Amino acid sequence: MSQTTRLTDGRKSFEVKKYTFSTEVIPRLSCHDPECEERIENGLPVVIPDANLVASARHWNLDYLHDNIGDGKFMTYFSNSKKFKYYDDKKCPNIKSFKKPMEQEELTFDEFVKKINKGKSKGQRLYLQQTLNETVGKNIVSDFLGFNWNWVTAQQKKNSFGPLTNNMLLIGQEGNITPVHYDEQENFFAQVYGYKRFILFPPEEFPNLYPHPTYHPCDRQSQVDFDEPDFEKFPKFRNASGFETVVGPGDVLYIPIYWWHQVESIPNEGHTISVTFWYKGRPTPEKVTYPLNAHQKVAMMRNIEKMIAQALNNPDEVPEFMQNMVLGRYT
Ligand SMILES: O=C(O)CCC(=O)C(=O)O
Ligand SMILES: [Fe+2]
């Protein structure tokens, strides 16, 4: 029997699966609370219930989007399990034995809605993940313009984030899971419809989470499966300890750059709808201070790994090269 635990978003409470690691709750703070500002400034996650970032989209649901989103194409992922583990198509040739963990196809919104129902009979799940673009209909444009750009742009300026790179629309079936990974951008994650469980780990947890090599299609994703952790292969995963929360309609979660996150659409209203606000990170400071922080060290490791892979010009040679460099010398 798998154990469960209860999590709340402050309004509703949910029974969720209990994993092997311990977690603390991510603080939920008003956008007017100085502590909320402090956390964002210090690169710490916080749930903000009253930023009204996507209040203009509070009426969004599948029917409304179906009628208003237009005839554009939406990248949709198909998985035969609950998990949607991201992979980079361009890196697939680097690993000959790599089996794609999911399929992807660009669909119109109408096709997406129809395929959700077809998928159900085949035990196949869908997850739409598409950057909002100019193909959307006029009502969606108007909702988009009504986002609280004042608040989010003020945050960007105050915290010296780089430019906004995109707003990704995510529509997932309940039960869908985005396995644990980190992104190289700052993210104000806005929940529109339904509830999502977020499990976060700070960049310091890099050694406990065993990310795939940078040249692997699943770069930035952990190799550890939370449902069946292989402690022999990944012994330090026993030391992992994280943070978690549930976000519901109207909530914003600040996910700091390089913070690990697993995201689970909680079974409740059939599906979930979210919009991301991704920003480039802060510029590297002119005067570096020491010791470097964990996120700077992760960025450095990535650069060194990429340099080695590029210099060898053959991904197959990287593991032995890395081992020769480290094993028995630094271990
Ligand atoms: O909501 C999800 O399923 C994934 C979201 C995510 O990974 C992100 O916003 O960076
Ligand atoms: Fe992410």
Side-chain angles (χ1 to χ4, degrees):
M1 272 299 283
S2 71
Q3 286 188 329
T4 61
T5 179
R6 287 198 87 78
L7 274 181
T8 174
D9 78 324
R11 296 162 282 191
K12 265 171 155 341
S13 99
F14 299 94
E15 193 163 324
V16 295
K17 178 165 179 171
K18 194 167 161 46
Y19 293 115
T20 54
F21 49 86
S22 64
T23 57
E24 282 175 47
V25 173
I26 300 171
R28 176 174 276 278
L29 298 170
S30 162
C31 62
H32 306 295
D33 187 332
E35 200 186 326
C36 174
E37 299 280 319
E38 247 167 63
R39 288 188 69 91
I40 300 172
E41 228 175 273
N42 293 325
L44 296 171
V46 57
V47 184
I48 310 153
D50 57 356
N52 287 317
L53 181 52
V54 294
S56 58
R58 65 164 74 84
H59 53 282
W60 286 13
N61 57 35
L62 272 195
D63 285 339
Y64 178 82
L65 293 177
H66 184 254
D67 293 344
N68 292 284
I69 208 158
D71 305 321
K73 293 280 197 174
F74 296 84
M75 184 53 82
T76 304
Y77 296 92
F78 296 78
S79 174
N80 294 321
S81 78
K82 289 183 300 183
K83 300 210 176 91
F84 290 75
K85 189 170 182 179
Y86 176 80
Y87 60 91
D88 182 346
D89 256 333
K90 292 189 292 295
K91 294 184 181 175
C92 286
N94 292 346
I95 309 281
K96 282 166 202 77
S97 59
F98 182 69
K99 283 204 188 61
K100 292 182 178 182
M102 57 186 183
E103 294 300 324
Q104 60 189 73
E105 196 185 343
E106 288 190 307
L107 303 177
T108 63
F109 205 85
D110 184 57
E111 289 168 331
F112 167 66
V113 172
K114 289 188 173 130
K115 288 206 180 195
I116 287 185
N117 295 322
K118 272 208 203 110
K120 279 182 186 155
S121 56
K122 290 195 278 184
Q124 189 176 54
R125 292 170 166 277
L126 277 69
Y127 205 155
L128 180 152
Q129 304 188 1
Q130 174 65 50
T131 297
L132 286 169
N133 58 32
E134 65 295 336
T135 68
V136 301
K138 64 178 193 320
N139 289 337
I140 304 292
V141 170
S142 146
D143 299 336
F144 179 87
L145 294 175
F147 289 170
N148 194 350
W149 294 105
N150 279 341
W151 180 81
V152 78
T153 307
Q155 289 303 329
Q156 173 198 16
K157 296 268 149 15
K158 256 186 273 188
N159 294 291
S160 313
F161 292 169
L164 176 77
T165 58
N166 72 58
N167 296 106
M168 175 92 86
L169 172 68
L170 296 145
I171 308 182
Q173 288 178 253
E174 58 181 19
N176 284 7
I177 292 177
T178 299
V180 63
H181 67 281
Y182 65 88
D183 298 306
E184 297 178 276
Q185 305 218 5
E186 305 281 358
N187 187 358
F188 289 105
F189 181 98
Q191 188 58 11
V192 175
Y193 184 91
Y195 295 82
K196 278 180 167 171
R197 175 193 198 182
F198 272 85
I199 302 170
L200 269 64
F201 299 88
E204 284 79 359
E205 295 273 326
F206 183 98
N208 299 339
L209 289 164
Y210 300 88
H212 289 276
T214 52
Y215 61 84
H216 191 282
C218 294
D219 177 23
R220 298 184 291 98
Q221 324 276 313
S222 172
Q223 299 177 78
V224 181
D225 179 349
F226 284 179
D227 288 319
E228 280 177 273
D230 184 340
F231 288 116
E232 256 169 50
K233 216 166 151 189
F234 309 119
K236 288 188 195 154
F237 183 63
R238 284 198 195 283
N239 304 334
S241 101
F243 295 86
E244 70 181 308
T245 189
V246 169
V247 295
D251 288 337
V252 172
L253 171 64
Y254 167 53
I255 310 174
I257 188 166
Y258 291 110
W259 274 65
W260 296 85
H261 46 288
Q262 166 147 319
V263 191
E264 307 182 359
S265 285
I266 299 178
N268 184 56
E269 310 188 44
H271 62 278
T272 60
I273 305 179
S274 326
V275 177
T276 67
F277 292 71
W278 265 313
Y279 291 89
K280 293 261 189 216
R282 299 178 168 91
T284 33
E286 268 165 40
K287 199 175 172 319
V288 183
T289 54
Y290 296 97
L292 297 182
N293 64 33
H295 114 221
Q296 290 169 312
K297 286 179 187 167
V298 171
M300 198 163 111
M301 281 192 271
R302 292 185 60 81
N303 286 338
I304 294 168
E305 261 185 78
K306 285 186 196 168
M307 215 166 76
I308 291 171
Q310 200 193 359
L312 290 171
N313 195 31
N314 176 5
D316 294 343
E317 288 187 36
V318 179
E320 196 185 330
F321 183 92
M322 296 286 265
Q323 284 162 30
N324 289 342
M325 204 165 100
V326 175
L327 292 182
R329 297 186 56 227
Y330 285 89
T331 53

